[in-house]
Amino acid sequence: MMTKEHHGYLDMDLLRFTTAGSVDDGKSTLIGRLLYDSRAIFDDQMEAVEQASSKRGNGDVDLSLLTDGLRAEREQGITIDVAYRYFATPKRKFIIADTPGHIQYTRNMVTGASTANLAIILVDARKGIQEQTNRHAFIASLLGIPHVVFCINKMDLVDYDEAVFQKIKSDLEDFSSKLEARDLNFIPISALKGDNVVHRSTKMDWYQGSTLMYLLENIHIAGDLNHIDRRLPVQHVIRPMTDEWHDFRGFAGQISGGIFRKGETVQVLPSGFQSTIKSIHIGEHEVEEAFAPQSIVVTLNDEIDISRGDMLVSPNNLPQSSQDIDVMLCWLNDRPLQPNGKYTVKHTTREARCMVKEVTYKMDINSLRRYEEDRTIGMNDIGRVLLRTTVPLHFDNYARNRHTGSLILIDEATNETVAAGMIV
Amino acid sequence: MHSYRLTHLKELESESMHILREVASQFDNPALLFSGGKDSILCFHLARKAFFPAKVPFPLLHVDTGHNFSETIEFRDKLVEKYGAKLMVGSVQKSIDEGKVQEETGFHASRNKLQINTLLEAIESNKIDCAIGGARRDEEKARAKERVFSHRDEFGQWDPKNQRAELWNLYNGRKRPGEHFRAFPISNWTEMDVWQYILLENIEIPNIYFSHEREVFERDGVLYANSPFMHLKPTEKPFMKRVRFRTIGDMSCTGAVDSPASTLEEIIAEVASTRTTERGSRMDDKRSEAAMEDRKKEGYF
């Protein structure tokens, strides 16, 4: 017997979304409901959760036990790290980056947000906009998440009142006008009762929009990627050196932007040499064209010296090249940023060293105010910073391309990833 | 008009190829942990794609518990020969013979935990600086928290509370001498994704994944293959049944499922309608709520 999953799988695409929230805002209940109603929770998982819940003396089944995977998290009843959860409907596969919402876990939210197409931000209908709502919206905007869905939750506790929803919606729109938010959506839900999560609510006739699941399944994400600026950071040089592939020299990488076509001219950075594309390979197959985020191998018609860290681009559409990099930096480590400190910087496939030249300002991510007096950047802080790198980086603004516009800093003593940067 | 859109399987494939190329670029001496199960076969397939037309630039490392399904070993050897891959084997039996670990006793004895020692020893003696594994985040809740590039200290231990942040597609594989990494290129795949992709790409897998007649016995509601490695209780009587294996591990801890599925399409239909997780038939995970986390901290993969 053939199932729909089998027939449909060639047509499914992938949506990555992030959820941030605190203990009481119903985030776990919401995720539990999405997973349960899409049959992504299995009987043995449910059984384990029921057992663990009763061991802890909880009356109700605690769905957060499904997502809180580490012993410390279960013991303390909190999410301390990013947990990835998976579910699929016949239309889409979903990856949830489930992150804690408290300010001390900003770094985890930033991590979860970095790869997300969409952010779900929960707002308690009884409380309206809270400090953490602003924080989550700001992080979604800073990390360039293309779609934001505000779920006004616990509508059952405000008698499914439209006025409550409209007031919160308009407050959120006011606040969001200060952010570079792109696609905003508002849905009145009750995660606990299931209203407008997977099934349409019968209690809110005044709401004509879609349910959360419908939106997740249908929101247009093909436009989230950059198909304009041709960028291929060279990751690895493929040289088989076999009889069959004697002279083969291919440049492997994952396309960060634009479309690469056989025969077209590319320029190599930093050398500036140009050549034309001889062939494009994906595994054993040769293709005529390729686009982000495909992992490909390109061969060129001229012999040019190219190695890891170089970038193939369109000669008519060059990225910026500079040793002076202006970034919004989110600090991820308990050892604060050292003024004039030196770090390793990883940008696309390129690695360099850099020095922190200046902290321009620090951001209060609750009020969105900029502090120019206090410029210490510690764990979970976000600030605007000028870096000077040992070699030029070839980059685009983060807002234009999340892959050529992002970087990480590594502490050279501990080897830890200490900061995430979005190039301004 | 052409639509520049990837299906979920092609997007996962691309991500995995990127990760495998990062491993090859950032480490001097990586190896692919190869059990002969579908996830490690998938990793090898993706590695062939990532480096084609060059050969996969790292060897396969099989941690051999000595309690294998013979079908898996035959499959492994055929694959190694077909693609000219290099195979290294770390033997749990040898670790036992040398007195480095002690065999568990009793009816539930398993060599699963003993693998840790053999794995770490193989990593150390072969100077492997990154062991690539086919673990997936959907398998188990401790794995859901693990990074794609996962740092191990000089004792091979994982510190779940002190993991490096991992953002975008930037992976930090820096380490001190003596430390190593585990890399998980199929972290974001689910069991269903793996089966769909195996069908899509027509990837060969060991025949015990498909329904076949086998002598089994029942213990705690799970069917196990009868073999010389299993000690049957007097009440446990072996019988013949049509079964298949949903995961392939050590014979002593891998349960069979009662299934007539004999094609990939039928397996996919079965996975779609099943109500238990893949590891639900793994005795090794049932030992406690944090069994996987505890083993992982010590160096299990």
Side-chain angles (χ1 to χ4, degrees):
Chain A
M1 196 191 77
M2 295 287 160
T3 65
K4 197 163 187 189
E5 278 84 347
H6 169 233
H7 283 306
Y9 75 96
L10 284 176
D11 238 1
M12 284 165 63
D13 59 6
L14 177 56
L15 178 89
R16 299 175 203 244
F17 68 92
T18 176
T19 53
S22 303
V23 187
D24 297 324
D25 62 9
K27 181 191 63 155
S28 296
T29 317
L30 178 67
I31 293 176
R33 187 156 285 283
L34 285 172
L35 295 177
Y36 196 77
D37 287 2
S38 63
R39 294 169 62 87
I41 294 177
F42 295 101
D43 291 344
D44 54 328
Q45 283 176 314
M46 203 59 197
E47 206 178 288
V49 166
E50 279 165 5
Q51 261 181 29
S53 301
S54 69
K55 222 163 83 187
R56 284 181 176 71
N58 303 353
D60 295 323
V61 173
D62 183 358
L63 285 171
S64 70
L65 294 173
L66 277 170
T67 51
D68 294 340
L70 301 176
R71 191 196 291 268
E73 293 177 322
R74 287 194 300 275
E75 282 168 3
Q76 297 169 42
I78 51 161
T79 313
I80 52 181
D81 202 345
V82 186
Y84 294 92
R85 303 286 313 183
Y86 304 83
F87 70 100
T89 68
K91 281 197 169 167
R92 263 187 185 152
K93 170 189 164 99
F94 298 95
I95 302 179
I96 313 176
D98 180 23
T99 62
H102 197 265
I103 191 153
Q104 73 190 90
Y105 300 113
T106 300
R107 64 187 196 127
N108 306 83
M109 285 182 256
V110 167
T111 301
S114 72
T115 51
N117 306 90
L118 181 146
I120 293 180
I121 299 175
L122 281 162
V123 184
D124 188 327
R126 295 168 305 171
K127 297 177 185 160
I129 297 190
Q130 302 276 295
E131 197 174 79
Q132 72 157 2
T133 321
N134 296 351
R135 192 163 67 235
H136 298 164
F138 172 67
I139 289 170
S141 142
L142 181 71
L143 271 293
I145 299 181
H147 313 279
V148 175
V149 183
F150 289 101
C151 287
I152 321 302
N153 190 26
K154 306 195 181 180
M155 287 301 293
D156 54 315
L157 299 180
V158 295
D159 297 328
Y160 299 104
D161 184 354
E162 182 180 9
V164 173
F165 171 73
Q166 292 300 348
K167 168 78 172 66
I168 295 173
K169 183 180 171 202
S170 105
D171 290 348
L172 286 167
E173 282 169 334
D174 282 352
F175 174 77
S176 302
S177 64
K178 286 186 266 180
L179 302 169
E180 279 175 45
R182 299 175 206 186
D183 172 29
L184 301 181
N185 302 271
F186 305 88
I187 306 179
I189 67 165
S190 164
L192 189 69
K193 309 276 183 195
D195 293 285
N196 290 335
V197 179
V198 176
H199 306 292
R200 174 158 288 282
S201 173
T202 52
K203 311 255 173 43
M204 291 181 276
D205 291 340
W206 47 265
Y207 175 72
Q208 298 301 318
S210 51
T211 62
L212 177 60
M213 184 64 102
Y214 182 88
L215 190 135
L216 290 174
E217 281 191 307
N218 292 287
I219 202 160
H220 179 73
I221 52 168
D224 294 356
L225 287 159
N226 181 320
H227 292 316
I228 298 162
D229 312 311
R230 203 184 298 157
R231 309 279 184 260
L232 179 71
V234 176
Q235 209 183 351
H236 197 78
V237 180
I238 308 265
R239 296 184 60 205
M241 295 185 287
T242 56
D243 291 343
E244 191 187 349
W245 302 94
H246 191 74
D247 293 320
F248 188 94
R249 228 169 143 261
F251 308 103
Q254 184 171 28
I255 299 174
S256 319
I259 296 153
F260 284 76
R261 292 187 187 88
K262 205 168 148 176
E264 282 184 336
T265 305
V266 288
Q267 180 165 331
V268 184
L269 295 174
S271 73
F273 289 119
Q274 293 188 7
S275 182
T276 48
I277 296 177
K278 185 177 169 191
S279 61
I280 303 172
H281 307 255
I282 298 175
E284 293 176 28
H285 303 289
E286 241 194 273
V287 295
E288 291 299 308
E289 59 177 11
F291 53 93
Q294 287 183 306
S295 284
I296 61 168
V297 172
V298 165
T299 64
L300 302 177
N301 281 312
D302 304 276
E303 269 199 33
I304 305 176
D305 180 28
I306 299 172
S307 52
R308 176 172 166 89
D310 291 355
M311 194 185 277
L312 303 185
V313 301
S314 157
N316 307 319
N317 177 351
L318 298 175
Q320 300 177 61
S321 295
S322 175
Q323 285 173 259
D324 293 300
I325 317 288
D326 188 358
V327 288
M328 287 298 284
L329 215 57
C330 174
W331 202 255
L332 312 169
N333 202 260
D334 43 21
R335 209 164 144 241
L337 173 140
Q338 306 296 309
N340 302 315
K342 295 186 179 64
Y343 298 92
T344 294
V345 55
K346 251 184 189 297
H347 168 258
T348 66
T349 56
R350 183 160 262 242
E351 222 176 272
R353 297 185 74 208
C354 75
M355 193 176 78
V356 177
K357 266 176 66 183
E358 193 191 322
V359 177
T360 321
Y361 57 81
K362 178 160 120 177
M363 193 97 193
D364 181 323
I365 62 169
N366 292 325
S367 66
L368 300 193
R369 277 180 42 209
R370 295 170 180 187
Y371 291 111
E372 296 186 20
E373 320 80 59
D374 174 16
R375 299 188 196 177
T376 53
I377 305 281
M379 171 88 101
N380 296 313
D381 284 341
I382 290 171
R384 180 119 173 215
V385 174
L386 286 176
L387 303 174
R388 172 84 183 168
T389 54
T390 47
V391 293
L393 303 185
H394 312 293
F395 60 87
D396 298 287
N397 296 336
Y398 186 79
R400 184 150 183 100
N401 190 318
R402 287 168 96 182
H403 287 287
T404 54
S406 55
L407 54 83
I408 56 171
L409 299 188
I410 297 168
D411 185 313
E412 297 183 338
T414 63
N415 292 326
E416 289 172 331
T417 303
V418 292
M422 281 69 61
I423 300 174
V424 182
Chain B
M1 209 201 85
H2 195 113
S3 131
Y4 295 105
R5 178 181 91 93
L6 291 182
T7 63
H8 73 300
L9 296 177
K10 288 293 159 184
E11 189 166 336
L12 291 170
E13 173 194 79
S14 176
E15 177 180 275
S16 302
M17 286 165 69
H18 173 79
I19 293 163
L20 287 159
R21 288 168 175 170
E22 277 307 291
V23 171
S25 305
Q26 292 194 36
F27 297 96
D28 295 327
N29 196 23
L32 173 63
L33 297 175
F34 190 83
S35 68
K38 67 181 190 318
D39 296 329
S40 59
I41 292 167
L42 170 62
C43 286
F44 182 70
H45 177 88
L46 291 164
R48 284 202 303 118
K49 276 206 155 177
F51 302 102
F52 186 86
K55 276 190 184 174
V56 173
F58 33 75
L60 307 182
L61 170 62
H62 182 212
V63 177
D64 181 355
T65 62
H67 291 174
N68 301 295
F69 290 96
S70 57
E71 293 90 340
T72 317
I73 298 297
E74 279 161 32
F75 182 90
R76 177 195 79 185
D77 294 341
K78 255 172 54 190
L79 179 129
V80 164
E81 198 190 310
K82 182 170 175 188
Y83 298 110
K86 192 186 159 205
L87 175 70
M88 302 187 293
V89 178
S91 160
V92 174
Q93 186 62 50
K94 195 162 153 262
S95 304
I96 294 170
D97 295 344
E98 289 170 356
K100 286 174 176 144
V101 291
Q102 261 205 322
E103 185 111 66
E104 293 181 4
T105 55
F107 291 114
H108 293 278
S110 159
R111 288 185 169 179
N112 189 280
K113 206 166 172 242
L114 306 186
Q115 289 181 84
I116 299 173
N117 189 282
T118 309
L119 171 60
L120 292 177
E121 209 170 82
I123 286 172
E124 207 173 295
S125 63
N126 292 294
K127 297 196 165 47
I128 293 165
D129 55 359
C130 180
I132 306 161
R136 308 189 320 263
R137 286 174 178 154
D138 78 321
E139 278 180 275
E140 209 282 335
K141 52 193 181 297
R143 284 189 169 163
K145 303 266 164 161
E146 182 142 27
R147 303 295 183 257
V148 170
F149 269 34
S150 187
H151 179 259
R152 292 294 186 279
D153 69 13
E154 56 190 318
F155 299 103
Q157 298 182 111
W158 179 54
D159 181 2
K161 279 193 270 186
N162 198 20
Q163 299 191 77
R164 290 179 186 175
E166 203 162 67
L167 300 104
W168 300 291
N169 63 351
L170 299 172
Y171 300 101
N172 173 5
R174 293 195 154 222
K175 57 179 174 12
R176 297 195 183 106
E179 299 174 342
H180 75 274
F181 269 78
R182 303 288 169 87
F184 301 108
I186 60 164
S187 287
N188 283 327
W189 297 58
T190 61
E191 182 188 15
M192 181 59 108
D193 299 330
V194 173
W195 284 116
Q196 289 173 342
Y197 187 80
I198 287 173
L199 176 64
L200 178 72
E201 297 274 301
N202 200 16
I203 301 171
E204 268 186 83
I205 50 170
N207 53 17
I208 56 176
Y209 278 114
F210 301 102
S211 183
H212 58 286
E213 192 90 9
R214 174 182 288 272
E215 194 176 72
V216 296
F217 68 95
E218 194 179 325
R219 176 178 291 173
D220 303 331
V222 180
L223 295 172
Y224 292 94
N226 191 23
S227 76
F229 315 125
M230 301 301 275
H231 306 288
L232 270 64
K233 297 173 190 171
T235 52
E236 294 169 340
K237 297 278 179 254
F239 56 97
M240 296 301 285
K241 193 159 182 69
R242 277 203 83 77
V243 294
R244 66 175 206 92
F245 292 91
R246 209 171 149 196
T247 72
I248 296 182
D250 186 288
M251 279 189 99
S252 62
C253 66
T254 309
V257 287
D258 176 354
S259 163
S262 56
T263 64
L264 287 170
E265 288 86 347
E266 285 166 3
I267 290 176
I268 288 171
E270 188 179 287
V271 170
S273 60
T274 189
R275 296 304 303 144
T276 54
T277 60
E278 211 179 2
R279 296 193 75 91
S281 57
R282 292 289 283 260
M283 207 195 270
D284 45 330
D285 290 344
K286 290 198 163 168
R287 292 189 169 187
S288 84
E289 205 187 337
M292 175 69 93
E293 183 181 343
D294 293 341
R295 275 178 297 152
K296 284 186 73 64
K297 281 182 187 164
E298 289 173 35
Y300 189 77
F301 95 92

